[in-house]
Amino acid sequence: MRILLWAECRKLRRSNIVWITVFATVMIAAIVFMGGQEVYQGSDVHYGIKSVHDGLRYIDNAGWFMDETQPWATFFVLPAVIALLGSYMICREEEEDTIKSLRIIPINEIKLTAAKMIITFLCGIFLYLLLFAITFLAEAVLHFSELSAKLVLGFLKEYLLNGIGVFFAISPIIALVSHKKKGYWLALVFTEIYSIAGLFAGMSNVLKTFYPMMAVFNLSGHHITTAGKTMGSIIVLLLCGCLSAFILKGLKPRRS
């Protein structure tokens, strides 16, 4: 397995799709930052502190950028690009017609697909940590004196758990692509629909706990909820992971 992981990392270094995912991560941070330039008036309670503002921008609130970027990235960008990355890695041998050479070695295709899933998992965490680094640096430039270690570490934990949760939530979609070894762009489209549907699922108290994309926020602590609902969300995400493992285990090597 270690050799397979090493080989997949080498393949990714020569692929442009990695730059696509990084570019998408930077772009969503830039879009949210520009949205934070909007001016509002009135009083609000931000992280437990009530204040009155007159012509203040959203981005002027310490922690706003790190807090708002998470849901925007999770509903609209990162799950789709992570699914694209994982699906591309699974499909590339069929598309580039190198799978025949791999079968001559021979190679265990189930282990190969599992290695690709592990790399996808690590890349998903990396993208969320990259997003955290971008938002944190922006916050440090704007509000360095107002940022506490507790606040920053809390957001770091949320971003890390978001990356883990998103992978489990979308893993069945990536695993299903393994059956056909084609159509990784369709995986991006399906995952995008799946993610955006979370906005509507959040309107229901039940779906807010058990819909996988919403369960991610309960796992990370971005949504304040009860311990019971958090446990229910964790179980849902674990079931998604088990479903993808079941799909991968049921794969049979395809012969030319």
Side-chain angles (χ1 to χ4, degrees):
M1 179 61 75
R2 183 169 58 183
I3 295 176
L4 291 176
L5 292 172
W6 175 83
E8 290 303 320
C9 289
R10 296 287 294 180
K11 291 177 188 176
L12 277 181
R13 290 178 60 183
R14 302 191 299 269
S15 174
N16 290 330
I17 201 165
V18 175
W19 296 111
I20 293 175
T21 60
V22 172
F23 176 75
T25 304
V26 174
M27 282 304 298
I28 187 60
I31 290 171
V32 176
F33 184 84
M34 289 187 290
Q37 305 304 313
E38 181 181 352
V39 176
Y40 70 98
Q41 294 181 341
S43 62
D44 75 319
V45 178
H46 195 66
Y47 297 110
I49 302 175
K50 185 175 181 179
S51 55
V52 179
H53 310 291
D54 184 18
L56 196 68
R57 300 175 303 169
Y58 287 104
I59 198 68
D60 291 329
N61 293 285
W64 180 91
F65 188 36
M66 287 189 286
D67 188 51
E68 289 298 317
T69 305
Q70 290 185 70
W72 278 84
T74 301
F75 286 129
F76 297 105
V77 177
L78 289 188
V81 297
I82 293 170
L84 173 65
L85 176 64
S87 302
Y88 168 77
M89 291 174 61
I90 292 171
C91 299
R92 66 180 299 169
E93 279 81 13
E94 288 284 344
E95 292 204 347
E96 297 174 3
D97 203 28
T98 58
I99 191 66
K100 296 177 184 177
S101 301
L102 292 174
R103 286 170 180 154
I104 292 174
I105 295 178
I107 193 169
N108 188 314
E109 292 185 46
I110 296 178
K111 286 186 177 180
L112 177 62
T113 303
K116 295 174 187 291
M117 293 291 282
I118 293 173
I119 296 298
T120 303
F121 171 71
L122 296 177
C123 286
I125 293 177
F126 167 77
L127 291 177
Y128 268 93
L129 292 181
L130 173 63
L131 188 63
F132 168 78
I134 294 170
T135 57
F136 169 69
L137 288 175
E139 291 277 5
V141 171
L142 296 171
H143 315 289
F144 183 78
S145 61
E146 299 178 61
L147 296 178
S148 65
K150 180 180 179 181
L151 179 67
V152 174
L153 291 176
F155 278 121
L156 175 60
K157 181 207 74 171
E158 289 183 19
Y159 276 85
L160 176 61
L161 292 179
N162 269 337
I164 295 172
V166 163
F167 170 79
F168 279 96
I170 66 174
S171 60
I173 296 176
I174 301 174
L176 284 171
V177 175
S178 306
H179 278 290
K180 295 187 177 181
K181 306 282 178 135
K182 63 174 78 172
Y184 55 86
W185 287 105
L186 286 177
L188 181 145
V189 174
F190 292 151
T191 306
E192 187 69 15
I193 296 172
Y194 174 56
S195 300
I196 293 176
L199 290 171
F200 301 97
M203 300 176 184
S204 167
N205 288 331
V206 175
L207 293 179
K208 195 172 184 179
T209 300
F210 298 107
Y211 188 78
M213 294 308 302
M214 294 303 298
V216 169
F217 295 111
N218 292 334
L219 168 69
S220 68
H222 183 74
H223 285 169
I224 306 250
T225 186
T226 64
K229 290 184 177 180
T230 300
M231 184 57 63
S233 296
I234 293 174
I235 291 173
V236 166
L237 293 173
L238 289 176
L239 288 176
C240 288
C242 291
L243 176 60
S244 62
F246 177 78
I247 294 171
L248 291 174
K249 185 177 181 181
L251 289 178
K252 295 182 180 179
R254 299 170 64 180
R255 301 299 177 186
S256 304

